[in-house]
Amino acid sequence: MRVERLAIEGVLLFVPTPHHDDRGLFTRTFDTAVAARHGIDPASFVQDSQSRSRRGTIRGLHGRSGRGEAKLVRCARGAILDILVDARPHSPTFGERLSVRLDDETFAHLYVPPGLLHGYQALSEADVCYRIDREHDPSEDVSVRYDDPDLAVPWPLPVAAISERDLAAGSWAALCARHR
């Protein structure tokens, strides 16, 4: 398994090595020893979730206030464009945006540290699996609208579906003002 450090501080991409033969393939999608060598405590993840989205659906951009939450994200079926925005006020990469394609061919896991906004667009019908290190507390939910002009996220497809909650999300400027 290869581990890549991405452009936003603390973000890691775990890329497994699939083994192919005449039956198909086998791959280890996550390895706790590899995670631990890269500073991640695998035992800290307390919740597994899964979403299914049709092509063009956008989910996000979501985050948590307070201690935030760490996530391991992978696309178990189909493909997504995963978007991260560093919302940690004292981070050297504050305000930076990153996009990563996750799909069912590379089997990569994206480690999202606490304090980042996270969202994605389904590039096909897609199942996305999350491992989260904290129980959900709705009072800590924060979100920024997917089409916020200050972030200018380059979504690759027209929006096919988005929740009312995500349409009502605040702005990047308003979130930054809360941190002052």
Side-chain angles (χ1 to χ4, degrees):
M1 180 171 295
R2 186 176 81 247
V3 180
E4 299 175 12
R5 293 190 182 280
L6 301 184
I8 292 178
E9 186 174 323
V11 176
L12 301 173
L13 188 66
F14 293 85
V15 184
T17 304
H19 300 280
H20 298 268
D21 64 21
D22 61 340
R23 299 169 295 168
L25 68 85
F26 172 84
T27 193
R28 178 179 302 131
T29 59
F30 187 71
D31 187 311
T32 61
V34 172
R37 284 196 300 271
H38 287 84
I40 298 170
D41 175 10
S44 68
F45 293 94
V46 298
Q47 177 184 322
D48 283 2
S49 301
Q50 181 171 337
S51 65
R52 177 167 292 163
S53 300
R54 63 185 170 100
R55 184 177 190 272
T57 295
I58 290 178
R59 294 183 184 263
L61 301 160
H62 305 143
R64 300 268 300 272
S65 62
R67 292 188 341 229
E69 69 182 4
K71 296 179 188 175
L72 282 167
V73 181
R74 75 181 179 98
C75 185
R77 185 174 65 98
I80 64 170
L81 184 68
D82 202 282
I83 303 292
L84 302 178
V85 179
D86 191 344
R88 301 169 294 186
H90 302 293
S91 169
T93 52
F94 176 75
E96 290 187 25
R97 173 176 39 83
L98 175 70
S99 63
V100 178
R101 180 187 167 97
L102 299 176
D103 59 43
D104 61 4
E105 294 179 21
T106 64
F107 307 102
H109 260 88
L110 183 63
Y111 174 71
V112 181
L116 273 62
L117 296 175
H118 173 256
Y120 68 85
Q121 184 171 42
L123 303 175
S124 65
E125 184 168 295
D127 285 8
V128 177
C129 300
Y130 313 80
R131 298 200 84 190
I132 301 167
D133 74 342
R134 294 187 50 213
E135 291 182 14
H136 183 243
D137 179 352
S139 70
E140 293 183 339
D141 288 349
V142 296
S143 60
V144 172
R145 198 171 149 96
Y146 78 99
D147 60 353
D148 184 279
D150 290 330
L151 295 179
V153 174
W155 301 105
L157 300 173
V159 179
I162 191 164
S163 72
E164 291 297 322
R165 173 183 166 224
D166 288 347
L167 285 173
S171 69
W172 173 249
L175 182 63
C176 291
R178 287 176 55 185
H179 290 307
R180 287 188 200 137

